[in-house]
Every structure is written in C-alpha cells, then in structure tokens.
Amino acid sequence: MESSNVVIDDIRLKSKNDEEEDVLEDDSPLERVVVTPNVGTSNEVTQPSTRVPNLDSNEPAPWVRRLHNKEDVIGDVNEGVRTRRQIANLISFTCYTSQIEPKKVDEALNDEFWVLAMQEELNQFERNEVWTLVPRPKTTNVIGTKWIFRNKSDEDGNIVRNKARLVAQGYSQIEGIDFEETFAPVARLESIRLLLSISCVHKFKLHQMDVKSAFLNGFLQEEVFVEQPKGFVDAHHPNHVYRLKKALYGLKQAPRAWYERLTQFLVDNNYTRGSVDKTLFIKRDNDELFIAQIYVDDIVFGSTNNTKVQQFVDVMSHEFEMSLVGELSYFLGLQIRQMNDGIFITQAKYAKNLVKKFGLENAKRCDTPMSTTLKLSKDASGKSVEQTLYRGMIGSLLYLTASRPDISFSVGVCARYQADPKESHLSSVKRIIRYVNGTSNYGIWYSFDTNASLVGFSDADWAGNCDDRKSTSGGCFFLGNNLVSWFCKKQNSISLSTAEAEYIAAGSGCTQLLWMKQMLVDYGFNQGTLTLFCDNMSAINISKNPVQHSRTKHIDIRHHFIRELVENKCIVLEHVGTNDQLADLFTKPLDATRFKTLSRSIGICLVE
C-alpha cells in the first residue's frame, strides 16, 4: 500500500521513515480504522483496529498523536487553520506564478513563468512604441539594460504576480549628451493628508488609479540608444541597438518626461494645475469640484459629483493603459479605510513587519516611546554599535512617522546620533520599536465632523539638547479637527531664553501655516487671519513689539518676519494653557498619562 500524508489539525507532518499513516474516517465518531503501511520486506498488513478507548479515562485514542516534534512540522506552527477558500486561492496563485525571485537573468530564463513576465514587459514596449531597432552608432554612447525581477504579493503575503521590469543603466548616461534637465515634482505626504482632510470637509469618496508602465509614455527630447535586453537579442541583428522614442525606467530624465506628458494631457483637457503644489490638478464646474493628486504613476482623485469621477477615469483610460482603478485603500504604504463618518489612516502592516524585521515581536511592550528620565547625548565613553543596523532602524521608523506623529519626537532625537551610535542610543531605538509593537494598529482618524478652518500650535523645549544646548521646535497644524501636518526639529542657533526659543518655534510654525494657506486657495478655501497658539506670553509680546531690547537684539533678523505677519494681520498669536498645548508632544518626552492624553487629542486612535 502506498503511504500518504496524515492531516492532523490542518498541520502536515513529515515521517522520519518517509512512510506515514493513512487515517480513514467513517460515519461513526467512535470508530477509526488505522492502516499501517508495509514495513521492511514483509508484505504482511496489520488488521484494522476497531478498539474503542475508555472515554472516561485519560487514555488517548489510538489514532491521536498528542505531541509532535517541531522538526516534523512543515510550515509555521502558529499559522492557524486555513479555510478551504484560502487554500484554493493559494493554489490558484501558485499554479500560475513562480514562487522564486531570481537574482540573475539565466535563472529567470529557465523558468517559464518568468519568461512570460519578461515577454509581457517587451510586449508593453511594442504597444507603446517605445523604441526602434537600428544599427549601432559609432560615435554615440550606448546605455546598457538590466532585468529587475520582483514578486508582487497581496495583503496576506501570497504571491499573486511575477513582475519583470527592463530598466536602463542610467548611471552610464553622460550629462549634456544623454540628458539635460532631470527635475520632476513629487507630491509631499502633507499634500496627501491635506487631500484626505479636504475629502472629509466635502464628504466624498476618494479613488485611485495606477498607470501601467507610466514612464514608457514620456517622450524623449534627446537621442538615446540602449542595448538589446539579455535573453531577447534579435537573431538576425545581434549587434543592433534600440533607439528610444519614449522614456525607459532607469533613465535620469524618465520621471520628468512622464510628468510633462501627463501635465500637458490634463491641461489640454481643462484641468488646472495647482499654484503651489504642481502635482495637484483641479477642475471646477459651478459648485462642483474635482481633485487629482499625482505621485509618479499613482493618482488619487475624487469629486463632489460622481459623474466627474467617471469622466476622469474614461479620459485617462482612453489615453493610458491602467493596471488599477478603484476606491482608495492603499497608497504609498498608507492603509486608508474610508468609512461613513470619516477616514482612518494607518500603517499597521508596515509596523508589524518592522517589529518582526528587528526581532522584537516577543519583547516587553512600552507605554511611551521614550523615557522621561533618560537624556540622550553623544555618550563618548559608551560602546559603539553596528552603524548599519542602527541606521536601518532609524530609516524604517522615519517612514512610519507618516501616520504616527506620536513617535516623531523620539525618532527625531535618536536620528541625531547615526554618525556614531552607542549602546544607549540603540536601547532607546529598541524602546520605540517595542512601543510600536504594542500600538501597531494605531493610526490617525479624520472625521467628517470638521470644517475648513486652519489653526496651528507651536512649542519649544529650551536647551533640551545635552550636547550643544540647542532647543527643539515642535508644531502641529489642523484643518478643522483633523491633523494634517506636524514637525519636530532642533533649532539652528542657541537660544538664550525660553521666550527666544518659543519665538523661533513660532516663526517656523508661521511658515508652515502660510504654505498650507496657499494650498487651500487652490482647493477653493480662502482663509482669513490665521491663528497660531503659543503657551509663552513673552514670545507673543515680542511678535507684537517691534522695538529692539536686550532680550531680542541678538536674534537673527530672519526670525523677525513674524512681526510683519502680525502687523499685516495675516497671523495672530494667541495664548494657550500649557495643559492644552498639543505641540508639547513634539518637543520632549512625556509621562504615560500626559502622552496618551495628547495622542488622543491630535487624533491617534485604534479603529476596529
């Protein structure tokens, strides 16, 4: 009899002798037939056992194996039970995709799934008329090409697609010959959060689309030649090269070429480009508003009229090939949940992967990201730690601050010591990750119960840095009830008083308010006099008093522009009590009670 696998609690087991039991079930819950496979050279088969165990005793059933060695378990023991539908979906993915990500072209060419992915990429080139095969020029630089292989996964981690991308080796380009200007605007994360907040004001749904092979749509102004891709060299013209008509991924001018093509297309279709943010496109029709925010090949858009949304989809789909069109749910690593009463922004998946990446998923969790008793310094006598590990932790955490303002200050402080990190610094970073581990599902809540009023809070921690005694400026800015922007930065100069430190922080807050005010004009919201809350009366009085005196004569003149703003009634500084100063979260470590109170006040929460 051939051996087969035993399935016990959906965990597959390996037999040490490569022979396993076959468990057969009949209709009776008390009878089990156990068939033992042939062992050795004997052809004798053991007769089925029908013995019923004593259910009143602790005697285990003969067909149940209570414990298994971990070495015998295939897969993750803690993975849990999978449903039949999940298993079916996994099988459907694995049947049509390769589970291996090749490192070299030769490996990919030996896998039929990757060959199909590579062929699909080249077919895309043909459809977009990207290049033309020509004889190799004698005096012109020819740029090499390279295949990049990536497996695309869904939110459960299952590989759903093999993506092969042919890129140009742009590092070999010569400036002035192969390219001229390379700058292309990119939307800031603050712009994305502002768009989300605007959608809450108007109470409309946001959608997203992804342009397939976007860079292949950009027209080149320069004459650029590239080598034929490895594995797909023309047999009749092996020495020929491709002359590019359109941009190729990897070229230095590719982002600019794509942005110019997209901008010209949208402007020709009566969409207006933003005056401050050049990646913002708006279309107004009486009281109806349409908004589109561009981030390279990802586009977020929405409108107060659903007809405008469908018109935009039709216009874009007619001109470009789309790989994704649907309701906004995942953008730039942000998980976005649009609900009936608001929007919840989180990076839960990224946070969990971050904790697991650095092996702290089982470490003790913390209530706050930084201790109030520990003051970080250069720690010259401390033991140095691996710079690569430390910088990797800091970089990973910095990206998490896109939706987690509660860790902005602590991450910013630890980031100051990347040049020569010590054990004390590494311990502080690990504490932040342990805090993230306990709050990985937290995010920012944007409520529909809001308005378009712009307000800000500014604060400073005087001489908080132990090394150079410079102060730390902090600020947060709200559109109605929703937190849109925040900052935490060490000041460039040493402040001689608390008032001076608060005054400089207020100046930084004013610049951010002015930028956001101009952004809101493009959205159709004209702000009057802006309000900035500060908890230091001396700093407020300095902004109103143009007379130089001993406390202000040494302050750099660039910080005094706030006085002109106050005189022109562009901004008014108002006093706020220390307990109500929300920017306090961005200037210093806080105890658990104060930290949780401020976190809730700025919108950090958990939505089930």
Side-chain angles (χ1 to χ4, degrees):
M1 170 181 170
E2 295 181 357
S3 62
S4 60
N5 292 337
V6 181
V7 181
I8 299 179
D9 294 336
D10 287 347
I11 300 178
R12 296 170 295 165
L13 304 176
K14 296 183 299 185
S15 174
K16 297 180 179 179
N17 298 320
D18 293 330
E19 295 178 336
E20 303 169 345
E21 296 179 345
D22 201 359
V23 179
L24 305 177
E25 298 184 5
D26 60 9
D27 295 334
S28 172
L30 297 180
E31 292 188 5
R32 296 293 186 271
V33 179
V34 181
V35 181
T36 305
N38 297 341
V39 179
T41 59
S42 173
N43 294 325
E44 183 177 335
V45 178
T46 304
Q47 293 298 322
S49 172
T50 58
R51 180 177 65 87
V52 178
N54 184 0
L55 300 181
D56 295 331
S57 68
N58 294 326
E59 176 188 1
W63 57 84
V64 176
R65 191 179 296 174
R66 292 293 182 185
L67 299 174
H68 303 281
N69 293 329
K70 291 184 178 181
E71 295 79 9
D72 295 338
V73 179
I74 297 176
D76 186 1
V77 181
N78 300 320
E79 184 179 7
V81 179
R82 286 183 175 178
T83 65
R84 293 177 179 176
R85 178 173 296 179
Q86 289 174 326
I87 295 174
N89 291 338
L90 179 60
I91 293 174
S92 64
F93 292 143
T94 56
C95 287
Y96 299 102
T97 58
S98 174
Q99 304 299 299
I100 300 174
E101 202 170 83
K103 302 298 182 183
K104 298 180 180 179
V105 178
D106 294 338
E107 297 176 13
L109 292 174
N110 290 325
D111 190 321
E112 59 176 324
F113 298 113
W114 281 110
V115 171
L116 290 174
M118 297 162 76
Q119 189 63 59
E120 172 59 26
E121 175 77 353
L122 297 179
N123 290 340
Q124 187 74 22
F125 285 18
E126 295 297 328
R127 289 193 293 268
N128 287 336
E129 299 180 353
V130 173
W131 55 20
T132 304
L133 192 64
V134 298
R136 181 183 296 270
K138 296 182 179 179
T139 58
T140 305
N141 181 40
V142 179
I143 303 169
T145 57
K146 182 181 180 180
W147 285 105
I148 303 295
F149 306 103
R150 289 290 183 271
N151 284 327
K152 300 294 184 178
S153 304
D154 61 9
E155 60 183 6
D156 296 323
N158 300 321
I159 297 175
V160 297
R161 188 163 66 99
N162 301 133
K163 179 62 179 176
R165 176 79 74 189
L166 182 68
V167 301
Q169 296 175 326
Y171 57 82
S172 61
Q173 286 184 266
I174 301 175
E175 186 175 1
I177 298 177
D178 296 320
F179 69 93
E180 295 291 343
E181 183 61 60
T182 62
F183 172 78
V186 177
R188 299 167 61 179
L189 284 172
E190 291 165 309
S191 301
I192 303 300
R193 291 193 294 264
L194 184 60
L195 173 59
L196 294 172
S197 186
I198 292 294
S199 71
C200 289
V201 174
H202 286 292
K203 299 179 176 60
F204 62 75
K205 290 275 187 180
L206 288 171
H207 305 266
Q208 66 182 132
M209 63 169 55
D210 179 65
V211 183
K212 192 171 185 179
S213 301
F215 285 5
L216 303 184
N217 294 285
F219 293 105
L220 290 179
Q221 305 299 324
E222 305 85 5
E223 191 177 60
V224 180
F225 297 89
V226 297
E227 298 283 0
Q228 296 188 51
K230 295 179 181 179
F232 296 87
V233 177
D234 191 304
H236 300 289
H237 305 94
N239 294 323
H240 279 38
V241 296
Y242 282 108
R243 183 184 183 277
L244 295 180
K245 298 179 182 179
K246 297 182 179 179
L248 197 66
Y249 283 86
L251 292 179
K252 294 183 181 296
Q253 66 268 45
R256 183 178 181 84
W258 156 244
Y259 175 76
E260 290 177 347
R261 167 78 189 282
L262 179 61
T263 299
Q264 188 61 47
F265 173 75
L266 293 176
V267 170
D268 291 343
N269 283 275
N270 301 320
Y271 292 90
T272 305
R273 186 165 56 171
S275 60
V276 178
D277 186 352
K278 298 302 180 181
T279 64
L280 177 67
F281 293 86
I282 298 172
K283 192 174 186 178
R284 288 190 180 88
D285 187 5
N286 297 326
D287 294 333
E288 297 174 353
L289 174 67
F290 174 87
I291 306 168
Q293 186 82 55
I294 313 296
Y295 192 95
V296 191
D297 58 350
D298 291 317
I299 304 174
V300 177
F301 58 97
S303 175
T304 53
N305 186 343
N306 290 330
T307 304
K308 300 292 183 183
V309 172
Q310 189 58 47
Q311 288 177 355
F312 181 75
V313 172
D314 294 339
V315 167
M316 291 293 293
S317 300
H318 183 267
E319 182 71 12
F320 307 106
E321 186 174 354
M322 298 296 168
S323 60
L324 172 67
V325 178
E327 188 175 306
L328 179 64
S329 60
Y330 190 79
F331 186 72
L332 300 180
L334 300 175
Q335 297 167 243
I336 301 171
R337 292 172 56 188
Q338 301 188 69
M339 298 178 235
N340 295 329
D341 56 346
I343 299 176
F344 183 59
I345 310 169
T346 182
Q347 290 173 282
K349 181 180 178 182
Y350 177 82
K352 292 174 182 176
N353 290 337
L354 185 153
V355 174
K356 186 176 180 180
K357 176 182 177 181
F358 297 108
L360 295 174
E361 60 269 29
N362 296 321
K364 183 179 178 181
R365 301 177 180 182
C366 301
D367 293 331
T368 61
M370 181 168 281
S371 171
T372 57
T373 59
L374 178 64
K375 295 292 184 181
L376 285 182
S377 64
K378 291 183 178 180
D379 193 9
S381 60
K383 183 179 179 181
S384 298
V385 297
E386 184 182 354
Q387 293 184 4
T388 304
L389 173 64
Y390 187 83
R391 293 173 180 174
M393 289 179 168
I394 293 295
S396 300
L397 288 169
L398 282 173
Y399 184 66
L400 186 60
T401 58
S403 65
R404 296 293 301 273
D406 51 332
I407 64 172
S408 292
F409 170 75
S410 52
V411 174
V413 171
C414 293
R416 300 171 185 173
Y417 304 101
Q418 295 183 76
D420 186 19
K422 306 294 183 179
E423 286 185 340
S424 58
H425 307 142
L426 182 61
S427 177
S428 297
V429 175
K430 286 184 177 180
R431 179 189 173 102
I432 301 174
I433 297 178
R434 288 191 287 127
Y435 167 74
V436 170
N437 187 28
T439 59
S440 58
N441 292 321
Y442 280 48
I444 307 178
W445 172 251
Y446 282 3
S447 173
F448 281 178
D449 183 18
T450 185
N451 55 58
S453 299
L454 183 61
V455 296
F457 293 79
S458 73
D459 193 21
D461 178 34
W462 179 54
N465 189 283
C466 297
D467 299 313
D468 52 20
R469 309 310 297 178
K470 290 182 179 179
S471 305
T472 300
S473 298
C476 54
F477 308 90
F478 295 79
L479 185 65
N481 299 323
N482 300 327
L483 178 65
V484 174
S485 179
W486 56 87
F487 71 86
C488 170
K489 184 181 179 182
K490 186 171 74 169
Q491 296 180 2
N492 295 326
S493 58
I494 298 177
S495 300
L496 302 184
S497 65
T498 303
E500 182 180 339
E502 295 274 5
Y503 183 68
I504 295 175
S508 299
C510 288
T511 59
Q512 185 68 13
L513 280 175
L514 291 177
W515 177 81
M516 295 178 68
K517 179 181 180 179
Q518 292 299 319
M519 282 284 294
L520 289 172
V521 171
D522 291 333
Y523 285 109
F525 295 106
N526 294 310
Q527 302 285 323
T529 301
L530 301 176
T531 302
L532 181 68
F533 291 101
C534 177
D535 61 358
N536 187 281
M537 285 301 303
S538 296
I540 296 175
N541 292 332
I542 292 174
S543 69
K544 296 178 181 178
N545 182 11
V547 179
Q548 293 278 1
H549 50 76
S550 59
R551 184 174 289 183
T552 63
K553 64 181 181 181
H554 59 276
I555 299 178
D556 196 316
I557 193 172
R558 64 191 175 92
H559 298 300
H560 287 302
F561 86 104
I562 188 174
R563 287 180 176 173
E564 184 178 350
L565 296 175
V566 173
E567 290 175 0
N568 295 335
K569 297 183 179 180
C570 295
I571 290 179
V572 57
L573 266 68
E574 292 189 4
H575 184 263
V576 64
T578 302
N579 292 333
D580 298 323
Q581 176 56 276
L582 302 184
D584 206 24
L585 186 69
F586 302 94
T587 59
K588 62 180 75 70
L590 302 171
D591 61 82
T593 302
R594 175 74 171 156
F595 179 82
K596 292 178 180 179
T597 300
L598 291 182
S599 295
R600 286 193 298 267
S601 298
I602 65 174
I604 298 294
C605 63
L606 173 64
V607 176
E608 297 296 340

